[in-house]
Amino acid sequence: QVQLVESGGGLVQAGGSLRLSCAASGSIGAMGWYRQAPGEPRELVAAITMGGSTKYADSVKGRFTISRDSTKNTVYLQMNTLKPEDSAVYYCAAGRGSSLTLAPFAAWGQGTQVTVSS
């Protein structure tokens, strides 16, 4: 069975940084994060294949960087220059294959709250 354990998140002031991590157990392919804020649709924030191909939401390009350690099935999301609009619950997701959409999904993390204050 595939399991994902997320860490990171928290409360930061605008302009600050956070790093999220997501460790997977089991065999997975691409990994990444979705986020959902109240009243907003869930959106793909970033995804990365084990080969290093990446995808970012337009809203985070230039500020967020996703990376991976394939030997540990772990991905990291470095979030810099955080804005209040980045506030959301961030959910790690793992795909069964190499698609940067992460579908079909193998597992979801428990979610971690990111709150950015003005």
Side-chain angles (χ1 to χ4, degrees):
Q1 274 59 39
V2 176
Q3 294 181 318
L4 303 179
V5 179
E6 296 183 56
S7 62
L11 174 63
V12 298
Q13 295 183 192
S17 298
L18 287 171
R19 189 175 78 152
L20 307 182
S21 65
C22 180
S25 60
S27 181
I28 50 87
M31 295 177 65
W33 277 268
Y34 281 79
R35 69 183 182 188
Q36 188 165 29
E40 300 289 335
R42 183 185 67 175
E43 68 169 340
L44 179 66
V45 179
I48 187 168
T49 68
M50 292 300 101
S53 297
T54 59
K55 172 70 176 178
Y56 295 94
D58 288 343
S59 59
V60 307
K61 286 180 180 177
R63 298 187 298 116
F64 291 12
T65 303
I66 190 168
S67 60
R68 83 283 180 271
D69 181 347
S70 60
T71 66
K72 298 164 59 178
N73 280 350
T74 300
V75 294
Y76 306 91
L77 186 66
Q78 180 66 45
M79 305 186 293
N80 296 328
T81 319
L82 283 161
K83 304 175 180 180
E85 51 263 45
D86 294 317
S87 297
V89 177
Y90 285 68
Y91 297 93
C92 181
R96 296 189 182 278
S98 60
S99 174
L100 286 168
T101 69
L102 306 183
F105 297 95
W108 289 87
Q110 76 277 15
T112 185
Q113 177 71 51
V114 172
T115 302
V116 184
S117 62
S118 299

